Amino acid sequence: MRSSDKFVTMAAMSLLDDETYILNLLFRHKLVSPEQQKIVSQMAPQQRQVILRQRRKRKAVAGGKVVPPDLVEVIVSLNLQIPEAKVPLTEEHIMRAVAEDLGLPFIKLDPLDLELDIVTKTIPRNFALMHHFLPFALKNGVHEVALYDPDSRDILQEIERVNQISIKPYISTKADISKILAEFFGFQRSISAAETHLGRPSVDLGNLEQYVKINASGGEIASSDQHVKNAVDHLFNYAFDQRASDIHIEPKRSNSVVRLRIDGLLHIIYKLPTAVHSAIVSRIKTLSRMDIAEKRRPQDGRIKIAHEGKEAEIRVSTVPVAFGEKVVMRILDPDIMFQDLSTIGFSKRDYEVYQGFMKSPYGIVLVTGPTGSGKSTTLYSTLKNISSSENNIVTVEDPVEMVHEEFNQIAVQPQVDVTFSTILRNILRQDPDIIMIGEIRDLDTAVNAIQAALTGHLVFSTLHTNDAVSAISRLIDLGAKSFLIGSTLLGAMAQRLVRTICPHCREDFLISTDLLRGFGFPVEETGEISLQRGKGCRQCRGTGFLGRCGIFEIFAVSEEISRLISIGAPEADLRNQAIREGMTTLKEDAWAKVKKGLTTYEEAVKVTGMS
């Protein structure tokens, strides 16, 4: 009997195909009702054939063997609901019940926690795929292995005996195991094949030694073309699956490190052989229309990519570092860049004030904050909100971050004298209603923005300042006249992004109000106060946070504030007047979100400072 036939027979006779055991187990764990047990018994044979036909069609295209579904897969495909919880019955629910019943630990696999070498080099690929074994950790000489079928423990014991190793089995879902095995082994095979085909020095010091090795053909590396394509495609798919905002590929002395930024924090994903780094970078540079032969200068490019039926923009930047070229790719997802402004974190007062800015026929609105604070998302969402067939929106960006057909977008090109300041003169002859300037960097740009506002245009732009009121000082420092600022500025908004508490593991805790006041929070209570934090769970990868939201400080220019700006009043006087008129500072808005349980006080302190 062939090994594959033996596996099919074993799977058909496994515990996961024992109808009496599985249905009784699910009933004992309150995952199905007696009526649902009858439904499963009646529909299981027919549903099994439906799944089998679907698999045969897919395998006919892929050219593989068909493995019949077990009862767990059949039950999941019936889309039952858990009676009390009123949520869909998933494979994870069933396998957790199986694990608990058998006294085995259950593991929810997180690809970010896994190491490529442990997954792909502990158990042979064909054996791991056949039996759904996933080695995921090595602790104190013990190999921890996730398995789907509890009956496979006998095979693990044989592996222990033959290889003289210790194995600790965990139960997990077939979906997670199969997906990770396919991704990791596919990526590992692509990298290994590329490494075998490529001849590269172990350490690339070309950027330090002025040494550039150019492909003879001037195009992509032909000898490992398909392998490198597969590896790069995997990186993109993996980044989308993990909700990453950035991909970093960094050459080191002995390897190349791939990191993903998720919810503002970087996570190491892979450590690749040095030999494949240049090939992967060349592939990315080709996709983004960069010069793959030029390795001594920074380059910028962009890639439009389709993922699961949706399109996204990837902005690519390369810079020469000590051991080669570092690549950073910013993923610009339309679902993130264009949001409903009412859901991004505005308080009621701030939302009303900002809506007033958007409805104004003319004037300047400034959005301030450091890099990565969400300014672009706010501006794009604003323009999307006010765009219509009745107005003409023109943007000047460096570079264009997200292409959108409703806007007339112009990219800054200094080499042909298309800069923020020079292009504004031409824009005014394009009959615009609304103008978005990527950033006010110099006096010429500031003067042209003020001139556009004076001639009846609504202008949005960004500045790099720490708070909203500081935007006035920044414009004056650039050389703009204070009376012109006072007459054209509608307002300024400072913003930051804070991580939000994971809803799956939030908990209450008590903290001293004196400690909070020491961090600068406007705490009115005394003694101790109850706040919330995340304990860390599988959904948030143990961080206690899931997703991000904005905190804001909106400085609206009233008649009195306009007068103070025009006479050159100090920044402190402007801030005090704005607070008297109802402005909420960044610290106050952060504290409001801490009290609501949206974020933690530590996160608020991190982005707003101590004072």
Side-chain angles (χ1 to χ4, degrees), residues 232 236 245-249 280-291 297-305 312-319 325-332 399-401:
V232 172
F236 288 146
S245 61
D246 300 86
I247 307 171
H248 291 234
I249 304 176
I280 287 178
V281 171
S282 293
R283 172 63 181 166
I284 292 169
K285 289 169 73 173
T286 300
L287 290 173
S288 51
R289 296 184 179 181
M290 295 183 189
D291 182 359
R297 297 176 182 172
Q299 296 188 64
D300 293 303
R302 61 192 308 115
I303 305 169
K304 196 171 190 69
I305 193 168
E313 301 270 351
I314 297 180
R315 198 173 71 197
V316 184
S317 171
T318 66
V319 294
E325 285 184 283
K326 177 182 176 180
V327 180
V328 174
M329 292 175 279
R330 168 67 57 86
I331 299 173
L332 303 168
V400 173
E401 294 201 44

Side-chain angles (χ1 to χ4, degrees), residues 119-120 125 129 134 175-189 234:
V119 173
T120 59
R125 173 181 176 274
L129 292 171
L134 177 67
D176 284 349
I177 292 174
S178 299
K179 186 173 188 295
I180 293 172
L181 284 176
E183 288 182 346
F184 275 60
F185 274 113
F187 186 64
Q188 191 269 342
R189 291 179 76 181
H234 171 86

Side-chain angles (χ1 to χ4, degrees), residues 384-504:
K384 175 68 175 174
N385 185 275
I386 60 181
S387 68
S388 72
S389 59
E390 300 172 355
N391 57 34
N392 176 24
I393 297 177
V394 181
T395 75
V396 189
E397 305 171 62
D398 183 19
V400 173
E401 294 201 44
M402 175 65 69
V403 177
H404 194 275
E405 62 182 12
E406 294 180 20
F407 313 151
N408 298 291
Q409 296 169 284
I410 303 168
V412 166
Q413 301 179 71
Q415 65 273 19
V416 291
D417 199 33
V418 177
T419 64
F420 285 124
S421 58
T422 59
I423 196 65
L424 278 172
R425 303 186 190 100
N426 303 96
I427 284 177
L428 293 178
R429 291 192 287 271
Q430 286 286 311
D431 187 30
D433 297 294
I434 300 161
I435 300 170
M436 194 271 274
I437 305 168
E439 183 183 352
I440 295 178
R441 299 175 178 173
D442 51 39
L443 177 59
D444 285 344
T445 307
V447 168
N448 282 297
I450 290 171
Q451 186 62 37
L454 287 172
T455 53
H457 302 89
L458 182 58
V459 180
F460 291 89
S461 189
T462 69
L463 274 178
H464 286 289
T465 62
N466 290 327
D467 57 45
V469 182
S470 298
I472 308 298
S473 301
R474 176 64 178 150
L475 289 175
I476 293 173
D477 289 342
L478 289 174
K481 302 297 183 182
S482 57
F483 71 91
L484 290 176
I485 297 171
S487 60
T488 56
L489 187 67
L490 293 172
M493 178 176 72
Q495 70 176 77
R496 302 288 190 276
L497 289 176
V498 292
R499 293 182 292 169
T500 51
I501 297 172
C502 174
H504 305 286

Side-chain angles (χ1 to χ4, degrees), residues 162-267:
V162 172
N163 296 327
Q164 297 296 301
I165 59 174
S166 296
I167 294 178
K168 181 179 180 180
Y170 289 74
I171 296 294
S172 191
T173 63
K174 180 186 262 187
D176 284 349
I177 292 174
S178 299
K179 186 173 188 295
I180 293 172
L181 284 176
E183 288 182 346
F184 275 60
F185 274 113
F187 186 64
Q188 191 269 342
R189 291 179 76 181
S190 296
I191 293 299
S192 297
E195 184 181 18
T196 300
H197 288 187
L198 287 168
R200 288 287 187 274
S202 58
V203 177
D204 181 4
L205 296 175
N207 291 317
L208 298 183
E209 299 173 354
Q210 302 300 312
Y211 170 73
V212 181
K213 188 168 184 177
I214 301 174
N215 190 319
S217 66
E220 293 183 52
I221 300 169
S223 61
S224 61
D225 188 19
Q226 192 58 47
H227 304 304
V228 174
K229 280 184 178 180
N230 292 339
V232 172
D233 289 348
H234 171 86
L235 284 179
F236 288 146
N237 286 322
Y238 194 69
F240 279 109
D241 290 343
Q242 299 301 321
R243 302 180 299 106
S245 61
D246 300 86
I247 307 171
H248 291 234
I249 304 176
E250 306 170 0
K252 306 297 182 183
R253 182 178 296 275
S254 57
N255 54 37
S256 179
V257 176
V258 179
R259 298 194 290 173
L260 298 184
R261 187 179 294 280
I262 302 170
D263 291 338
L265 294 182
L266 284 168
H267 302 262

